[in-house]
């Protein structure tokens, strides 16, 4: 008998065809397997009924580790066509069903790592060692189907030995499109900052040595360039900070291995699993008490972002050094996307880096490293990019229509929602500059292309001047699809509900800033979501934001506004006026504006944490997104509750003035740590009890927590405990970022479910 099989999911670029081949041959079946242009796979087998059913069950149970089968449709025919053997056929461009996708990049596997270290292996110390189980995928693929000529490996002609492996069904590199060796594959070079190639035996380990000596190098990876430096010396880091005008923002590091990482960071079982997983993300880890790396890596924070080598090149960087870790941060200029082309790297970083470690393979898709952290054993994704993108987030139901969502203007990405899958693009960044705006549009179009989804609606933020909204408008027009504008926090909560598979919940959204339905700055919202609509039920007390965005940059402005009626606050403010760019003159102007009522108001939770940060003299200027609030969390770590004040709830408003007053009058009585801890407790208890009461009123079982503040472990855990203690179920994000990297997904869900 004959069976015609259609497989969708992640089945190209993960060794699926070789697996099908081996399984078919083992079961004495004849036929063929081939890749399709829609990222799916077509299989035909002929043989006995028993053999076919055994084959089908093995397809599911024994598939390669990186493969993901979504659907497997079989049509049986009684008549055989007399095929004599089983073959892997050339790919077809045929596009039949949307929804399959190419795999994300996969970190170097153990077998390749072993070969890299084996002097007898012909890929001994070859930086671009890969196999069917590992290597770049998303970053290397120009178009589908996944064949070598559709990748940036097309410029490298396989040598006879590589070709033999590629064609041998018993070889690990059977049909591995990235197969290469020192003879035929990409080559790596070490150059000075003008591009002159240095004559060294091993450019990679030589580069590591230079880093150890205190030089700064640009290192080309799979999805873009990293800036690399020593983690033991502060000088190169300070130089880097100065040249990149990046004063405080933490740098990620790449540790030699888990053992090395354990010498400076605390790592539990879950974190170790994440660090060594094929995704190999940056994991935010708590610094050890005897932390000995430079304090300049993540100043003022109790955490450090750590990843492990995920390519042969990374592993070799450590070969001739004693460094436990290197700084490895995306090479991008402020507000611009990560650099991917060699010429661009020299042009933009020639004045910053001393050396360049480059290779001659082009990067098809740029992709920054992903960032994650654990909250008591539960995963929070801060940035969903390399290793995840473009793998979809699965929903428990099918969306009512296919949507493309363009996200927001900070920390953004795009999302294509198709049935029960949310395809989230790689990290795009902040859409201020032309380069990033172009990247956003490119990423959107590429995602539509590789998923083959026919988009029926385009979604974007409600903000009237967002660049992302402008791009959404343009694409909607090109597609002839309706444009749906989605309120920022509605998107956060719609995304949370869809991710959790919940149709009704009370959602707490504690965030930085989002344009509200009333045109005001929202950011501390309690929303009610059901199958028909989302409504705003409660929020934080509106507080003055004198000078608009300036109040987010200089949180003293928030303190001045919140405590404007507090006795003798003036002397506190005056003592700190030098922390404002224009000193006392500026302070007096702020006070005058307050008196005259010349300000907008915000319900943002982030701004309250900012104000606390200034009031506790933790951070007086925001030099990167979320800085004051993150430093409050770092300061509060290990603290205890000292303030007696219970959450002040007035109707549907959680008051915050009393909280800041309480902190102010207790400044001399308690440590910063305990006061910061108490602020977080107040907020958590306040929003949680409001939400629980509303849930009981509306007879809802679930309370969820989303928004940028949901990264805060203490606040997040405190809310969870209160919700669970009062007999309700707590839901949080596990695969979609709670912050603005999750908004595109939420917009898409909202537009599909509630959009008109
Ligand atoms: Zn491998
Ligand atoms: Zn070769
Ligand atoms: Zn947000």
């Amino acid at each position: 008998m004959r069976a015609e099989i259609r497989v969708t999911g992640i089945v190209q670029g993960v060794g699926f065809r070789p697996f099908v081949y081996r399984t078919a041959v083992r079961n004495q079946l004849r036929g063929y397997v081939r890749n399709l242009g829609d990222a799916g796979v077509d299989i035909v087998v002929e043989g006995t009924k028993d053999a076919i059913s055994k084959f089908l069950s093995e397809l599911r149970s024994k598939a390669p580790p990186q493969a993901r089968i979504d659907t497997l449709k079989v049509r049986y025919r009684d008549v055989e066509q007399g095929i004599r053997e089983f073959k892997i056929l050339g790919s077809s461009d045929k596009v039949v069903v949307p929804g399959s996708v190419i795999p994300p990049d996969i970190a170097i596997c153990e077998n390749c790592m072993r070969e890299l270290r084996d002097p007898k292996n012909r890929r001994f110390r070859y930086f671009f060692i890969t196999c069917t189980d590992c290597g770049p995928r998303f970053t290397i693929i120009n178009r589908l189907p996944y064949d070598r000529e559709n990748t940036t490996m097309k410029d490298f002609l396989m040598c006879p030995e590589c070709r033999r492996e590629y064609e041998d069904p018993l070889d690990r590199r059977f049909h591995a499109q990235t197969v290469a060796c020192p003879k035929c594959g990409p080559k790596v070079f070490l150059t000075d900052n003008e591009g002159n190639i240095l004559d060294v035996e091993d450019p990679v380990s030589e580069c590591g040595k230079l880093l150890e000596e205190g030089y700064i190098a640009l290192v080309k990876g799979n999805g873009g360039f990293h800036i690399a430096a020593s983690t033991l010396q502060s000088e190169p880091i300070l130089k880097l900070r100065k040249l990149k005008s990046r004063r405080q923002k933490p740098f990620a590091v790449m540790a030699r291995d888990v053992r090395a990482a354990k010498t400076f960071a605390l790592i539990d079982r879950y974190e170790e699993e994440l660090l060594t997983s094929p995704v190999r993300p940056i994991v935010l880890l708590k610094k050890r008490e005897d932390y000995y790396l430079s304090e300049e890596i993540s100043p003022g924070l109790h955490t450090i972002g750590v990843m492990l080598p995920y390519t042969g090149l990374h592993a070799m960087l450590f070969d001739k050094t004693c460094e436990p870790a290197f700084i490895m941060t995306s090479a991008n200029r402020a507000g611009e996307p990560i650099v991917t082309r060699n010429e661009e790297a020299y042009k933009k970083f020639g004045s910053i880096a001393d050396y360049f470690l480059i290779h001659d393979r082009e990067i098809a898709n740029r992709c920054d490293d992903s960032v994650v952290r654990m909250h008591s054993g539960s995963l929070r994704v801060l940035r969903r990019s390399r290793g995840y993108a473009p793998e979809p987030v699965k929903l428990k139901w099918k969306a009512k229509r296919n949507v493309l969502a363009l996200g927001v203007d900070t920390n953004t990405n795009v999302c294509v929602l198709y049935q029960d899958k949310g395809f989230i693009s790689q990290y795009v960044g902040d859409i201020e500059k032309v380069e990033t705006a172009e990247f956003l549009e490119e990423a959107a179009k590429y995602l539509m292309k590789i998923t083959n989804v026919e988009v029926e609606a385009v979604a974007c933020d409600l903000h009237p001047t967002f660049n992302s909204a402008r791009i959404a408008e343009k694409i909607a027009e090109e597609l002839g699809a309706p444009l749906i504008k989605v309120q920022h926090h509605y998107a956060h909560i719609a995304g949370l509900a869809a991710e959790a598979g919940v149709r009704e919940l009370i959602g707490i959204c504690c965030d930085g800033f989002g344009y509200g339905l009333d045109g005001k700055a929202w950011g501390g919202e309690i929303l009610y979501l059901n199958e028909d609509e989302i409504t705003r039920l409660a929020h934080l007390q509106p507080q003055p934001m004198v000078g608009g965005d300036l109040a987010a940059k200089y949180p003293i402005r928030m303190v001045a506004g919140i405590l404007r009626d507090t006795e003798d606050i003036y002397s506190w403010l005056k003592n700190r006026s030098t922390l404002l760019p224009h000193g006392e003159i500026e302070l007096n102007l702020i006070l005058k504006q307050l008196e005259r009522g010349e300000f907008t108001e915000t319900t943002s939770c982030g701004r309250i944490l900012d104000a606390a940060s200034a009031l506790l003299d933790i951070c007086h200027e925001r030099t990167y997104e979320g800085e004051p609030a993150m430093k409050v969390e770092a300061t509060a770590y290990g603290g205890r509750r000292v303030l007696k004040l219970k959450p002040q709830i007035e109707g549907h408003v959680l008051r915050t003035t009393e909280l800041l007053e309480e902190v102010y009058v207790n400044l001399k009585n308690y440590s910063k740590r305990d006061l910061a801890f108490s602020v977080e407790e107040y907020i958590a208890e306040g929003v949680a009890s409001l939400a629980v009461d509303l849930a009981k009123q509306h007879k809802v079982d679930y309370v969820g927590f989303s928004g940028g503040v949901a990264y805060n472990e203490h606040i997040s855990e405190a809310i969870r405990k209160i919700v669970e203690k009062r007999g309700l179920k707590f839901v949080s994000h596990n695969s979609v970022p709670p912050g603005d990297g999750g908004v595109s997904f939420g917009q898409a869900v909202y537009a599909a479910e509630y959009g008109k």
Side-chain angles (χ1 to χ4, degrees):
M1 96 182 299
R2 174 183 168 96
E4 296 165 6
I5 305 153
R6 232 24 254 305
V7 192
T8 70
I10 297 181
V11 286
Q12 293 190 14
V14 287
F16 194 72
R17 284 179 305 170
F19 156 72
V20 170
Y21 175 93
R22 285 189 286 262
T23 311
V25 170
R26 201 173 45 243
N27 286 299
Q28 282 149 7
L29 294 170
R30 305 163 304 276
Y32 64 83
V33 56
R34 63 175 177 173
N35 279 347
L36 298 179
D38 59 16
V41 163
D42 224 4
I43 308 170
V44 167
V45 283
E46 292 185 1
T48 65
K49 198 179 162 208
D50 282 356
I52 291 177
S53 75
K54 188 149 172 274
F55 169 79
L56 287 172
S57 91
E58 285 180 11
L59 276 194
R60 283 203 182 270
S61 61
K62 293 186 176 159
Q66 305 305 328
R68 183 167 141 172
I69 296 176
D70 285 335
T71 64
L72 200 152
K73 286 197 178 122
V74 191
R75 266 182 21 204
Y76 294 97
R77 307 256 186 246
D78 291 334
V79 199
E80 290 189 13
Q81 291 184 353
I83 304 174
R84 298 229 177 119
E85 54 183 348
F86 197 89
K87 272 188 179 166
I88 294 184
L89 293 189
S91 303
S92 146
D93 290 335
K94 212 158 80 176
V95 173
V96 191
V97 274
S100 287
V101 80
I102 53 179
D105 282 14
I106 307 159
I108 183 168
C109 72
E110 274 173 34
N111 286 326
C112 285
M113 201 60 148
R114 203 161 27 241
E115 290 176 350
L116 181 75
R117 300 299 188 203
D118 176 7
K120 280 185 246 125
N121 192 283
R122 65 190 195 90
R123 292 190 181 83
F124 175 55
R125 305 184 61 76
Y126 179 51
F127 84 104
F128 192 66
I129 184 169
T130 64
C131 71
T132 30
D133 295 331
C134 77
R137 298 289 186 272
F138 172 70
T139 57
I140 210 170
I141 299 174
N142 281 315
R143 68 192 72 80
L144 287 168
Y146 177 52
D147 288 331
R148 192 154 167 130
E149 65 264 26
N150 291 337
T151 72
T152 62
M153 286 301 288
K154 67 174 186 304
D155 306 329
F156 303 94
L157 199 67
M158 277 182 238
C159 70
E161 277 165 297
C162 286
R163 160 88 35 207
R164 202 173 317 123
E165 292 170 334
Y166 183 85
E167 287 171 353
D168 176 3
L170 297 175
D171 196 279
R172 228 177 76 239
R173 294 190 172 83
F174 181 43
H175 275 266
Q177 307 301 341
T178 51
V179 66
C181 75
K183 263 190 239 157
C184 66
K187 296 197 171 31
V188 63
F189 309 93
L190 181 64
T191 82
D192 62 14
N193 57 8
E194 287 171 348
N196 301 306
I197 296 175
L198 304 180
D199 183 21
V200 290
E201 201 191 314
D202 180 351
V204 182
S205 59
E206 202 60 39
C207 179
K209 250 164 63 185
L210 291 165
L211 295 175
E212 189 171 41
E213 283 167 28
Y215 293 102
I216 295 172
L218 231 67
V219 176
K220 189 175 184 180
N222 286 345
F225 278 86
H226 281 115
I227 304 178
S230 164
T231 51
L232 297 175
Q233 305 165 50
S234 294
E235 229 169 278
I237 306 175
L238 287 170
K239 185 180 160 203
L240 202 54
R241 290 207 174 280
K242 201 167 149 228
L243 292 169
K244 271 197 86 188
S245 32
R246 176 168 164 153
R247 281 184 281 161
Q248 294 280 311
K249 195 174 180 185
F251 289 122
V253 307
M254 181 177 279
R256 175 190 295 270
D257 49 31
V258 177
R259 214 173 57 185
K262 281 183 174 166
T263 64
F264 56 84
L266 298 171
I267 302 174
D268 68 19
R269 184 162 55 89
Y270 304 106
E271 288 160 342
E272 183 164 342
E273 244 169 59
L274 273 171
L275 281 168
T276 53
S277 71
V279 175
R280 219 68 52 103
I282 296 170
V283 183
L284 293 192
L285 301 169
K286 296 191 178 84
K287 293 175 182 169
R288 277 173 64 116
E289 223 157 279
D290 55 353
Y291 173 84
Y292 62 95
L293 305 185
S294 166
E295 285 299 336
E296 303 303 329
I297 296 170
S298 59
L301 300 179
H302 68 307
T303 54
I304 178 169
V306 183
M307 63 182 147
L308 296 185
Y310 57 87
T311 68
L313 180 143
H314 294 149
M316 283 158 62
L317 269 181
F318 291 94
D319 281 358
K320 290 187 184 163
T321 76
C322 303
E323 294 264 323
F326 289 124
I327 300 259
M328 280 291 226
T329 183
S330 294
N332 65 303
R333 288 215 297 220
E336 290 181 14
I338 184 172
V339 168
T340 54
R341 284 181 296 113
N342 294 353
E343 321 84 76
E344 197 191 353
Y346 289 106
K347 210 173 98 199
K348 291 189 169 164
F349 290 91
S351 59
I352 292 180
D354 306 298
Y355 294 97
F356 285 68
L357 187 64
I358 57 160
H359 58 71
D360 55 358
R361 183 179 62 74
E362 270 182 52
I363 293 171
N365 289 299
R366 63 162 69 85
C367 201
D368 287 76
D369 297 314
S370 294
V371 187
V372 304
R373 75 183 283 187
M374 294 303 285
H375 283 181
S376 312
S378 152
L379 180 68
R380 298 288 178 277
V381 180
L382 282 77
R383 181 197 286 165
R384 198 177 184 281
S385 203
R386 174 188 52 77
Y388 292 108
E391 192 178 342
V393 172
K394 271 287 226 153
L395 275 66
K396 288 219 173 75
W397 58 77
K398 281 188 182 174
K400 286 182 191 144
R401 53 177 154 176
N402 308 336
V403 184
L404 167 74
L406 272 293
V408 282
D409 273 16
T410 48
N411 274 319
T412 203
N413 51 30
V414 298
C415 176
V416 168
L417 181 66
Y418 168 75
Q419 295 190 349
D420 57 350
K421 296 187 191 114
F423 297 94
I424 302 177
S425 77
Q426 75 270 47
Y427 172 76
V428 174
D430 298 344
I431 319 297
E432 286 160 31
K433 296 201 176 169
V434 192
E435 289 89 345
T436 340
E438 279 171 0
F439 179 26
L440 186 77
E441 190 172 339
E442 260 169 48
K445 290 186 172 164
Y446 184 75
L447 197 58
M448 286 194 283
K449 186 172 96 180
I450 58 165
T451 53
N452 295 297
V453 171
E454 218 165 281
V455 165
E456 294 161 312
V458 178
C460 68
D461 196 84
L462 199 61
H463 198 289
T465 63
F466 268 3
N467 288 324
S468 51
R470 192 175 41 75
I471 296 165
E473 212 166 298
K474 186 181 148 206
I475 296 180
E477 206 167 292
E478 284 168 14
L479 295 174
L483 181 71
I484 297 167
K485 296 193 169 188
V486 185
Q487 200 282 323
H488 188 99
H489 308 104
Y490 283 23
H492 275 300
I493 296 301
L496 176 64
E499 194 193 336
V502 170
R503 290 290 198 182
E504 191 178 24
L505 91 162
I506 298 291
I508 304 168
C509 191
C510 288
D511 209 26
F513 160 78
Y515 191 83
L517 290 176
D518 55 5
K520 287 189 180 159
W522 290 11
E525 315 306 314
I526 296 180
L527 308 175
Y528 172 42
L529 171 146
N530 62 25
E531 295 209 28
D532 305 317
E533 58 178 356
I534 300 181
T535 38
R536 185 194 198 205
L537 296 184
H539 52 80
L540 261 56
Q541 177 189 358
Q543 292 287 11
M545 211 165 74
V546 190
D549 284 347
L550 278 177
K553 193 158 168 26
Y554 300 100
I556 283 190
R557 288 174 168 264
M558 288 304 300
V559 177
I562 298 169
L563 296 184
R564 62 192 182 284
D565 297 326
T566 302
E567 217 177 305
D568 62 73
I569 189 68
Y570 182 72
S571 64
W572 186 93
L573 289 167
K574 194 165 167 256
N575 283 337
R576 283 157 188 79
S577 59
T578 50
L579 299 166
L580 289 163
H582 305 287
E584 225 178 307
I585 302 171
E586 188 174 339
L587 175 64
N588 289 329
L589 183 67
I590 294 169
L591 296 173
K592 216 169 265 163
Q593 284 173 301
L594 276 166
E595 228 176 83
R596 294 192 198 128
E598 293 168 358
F599 51 79
T600 53
E601 286 185 324
T602 181
T603 52
S604 163
C605 182
R607 295 296 88 81
I608 297 301
L609 289 167
D610 290 358
S613 187
L615 192 55
L616 293 167
D617 288 320
I618 294 167
C619 175
H620 288 288
E621 184 185 346
R622 186 194 70 183
T623 68
Y624 61 89
E625 181 79 24
E627 178 180 1
M630 279 163 72
K631 289 184 171 172
V632 167
E633 182 184 4
T635 307
Y637 180 61
R640 63 195 176 97
R641 186 171 187 159
V642 289
L643 299 181
K644 307 264 170 337
L645 185 74
K646 284 266 141 205
Q648 303 290 302
I649 294 169
E650 233 179 54
H652 289 154
V653 173
L654 172 65
R655 292 192 50 92
T656 46
T657 302
E658 287 78 358
L659 168 67
L660 273 281
E661 271 172 1
E662 185 81 351
V663 173
Y664 179 68
V665 299
N666 280 297
L667 280 177
K668 292 205 175 72
N669 302 339
Y670 302 109
S671 68
K672 268 184 207 191
R673 187 180 68 172
D674 292 344
L675 287 171
F677 187 91
S678 303
V679 167
E680 292 180 337
E681 287 269 297
Y682 179 95
I683 291 172
E685 200 185 315
V687 293
S689 49
L690 257 174
V692 169
D693 287 346
L694 288 165
K696 303 238 162 176
Q697 252 175 54
H698 287 81
K699 301 195 168 40
V700 179
D701 297 332
Y702 292 90
V703 171
F705 186 38
S706 184
V709 180
Y711 292 128
N712 182 307
E713 185 173 13
H714 173 207
I715 295 181
S716 197
E717 281 300 290
I719 293 175
R720 179 180 64 81
K721 281 178 194 153
I722 295 168
V723 169
E724 288 175 352
K725 202 173 152 197
R726 293 195 50 193
L728 298 173
K729 292 184 192 102
F730 178 74
V731 292
S732 58
H733 293 277
N734 293 121
S735 50
V736 175
D740 286 352
V743 171
S744 66
F745 174 74
Q747 287 172 344
V749 169
Y750 184 93
E753 301 301 312
Y754 309 99
K756 302 242 157 51

